[in-house]
Amino acid sequence: MAFKKSFAQPAQKRVAVLVSGGGTNLQALINAKTNGEIKNAKLVLVLSSSPTAYALQRAAAAGIPAQVVSRKQYSNAEDFNAEILRVLQAHRVQVVVLAGFMHIIGSALLNAYEQRIINIHPSLIPSFCGVGCYGLNVHRMALERGVKLTGATVHLVNEEVDGGRILMQKAVEVLDGDTPETLQKRVMQHAEWQILPKALEMLCREL
Ligand code: GRF
């Protein structure tokens, strides 16, 4: 009996990307998937907490199923989290990426996806992180403190805001005359969009 050579690849992890806004980090993941940089992950769902998030248009253009779970429709965080978990499980999601998702992940979700939820944060943790450190605030704080280097961090998500194990970081120079806006743009381009696909690929390869 002749042996059939097997070219079977290890199964790609089924990944959901949770968003609330513009979705440039989602786009970086889509691009990395298209150009082959991401091999061990399949983007199977985009879940948005806002019906007007531009990220939904990016998902549609890439042919990724999308679903809105609007925070406003739930009176408390537990019910909101429970619905997110239900949607993730309905899509047989194995790994979750928070890419500009503006809500705290509750314990039900954390338990269901222990060590399998990652977040991108626009600073070099442990600087400028924790409660209240999001969006332009982070870059404003970096400029006020006068740091010469900032950057971005991909970390695992646990019950502490921005407190989970760090998976990847990249530094970016602060330049004279930077505003929160110019710094945010440079950090996104040169750090966030670079390390988020790499960290996702690394995690999915190791799982
Ligand atoms: C990024 O700066 C990310 O680091 C932070 O939220 C922002 C999301 O931007 N968590 P986008 O929606 O990916 O463009």
Side-chain angles (χ1 to χ4, degrees), residues 144-207:
E144 275 169 13
R145 188 64 187 81
V147 294
K148 300 298 174 200
L149 280 178
T150 183
T153 303
V154 179
H155 63 91
L156 288 171
V157 175
N158 64 9
E159 58 293 329
E160 190 189 335
V161 177
D162 300 326
R165 181 160 68 84
I166 291 170
L167 298 182
M168 211 171 272
Q169 293 188 301
K170 187 156 188 249
V172 169
E173 244 186 304
V174 179
L175 301 180
D176 286 347
D178 260 339
T179 63
E181 289 80 6
T182 61
L183 186 56
Q184 178 184 52
K185 200 170 166 196
R186 189 173 323 107
V187 168
M188 283 180 141
Q189 264 179 337
H190 295 286
E192 296 185 36
W193 303 342
Q194 312 297 323
I195 62 173
L196 185 59
K198 287 192 173 69
L200 177 63
E201 172 65 4
M202 187 180 83
L203 178 69
C204 290
R205 199 173 49 225
E206 285 170 2
L207 282 175

Side-chain angles (χ1 to χ4, degrees), residues 21-26 99-100 119-122 188 192:
T24 61
N25 281 286
L26 166 66
N119 179 51
I120 176 86
H121 181 78
M188 283 180 141
E192 296 185 36

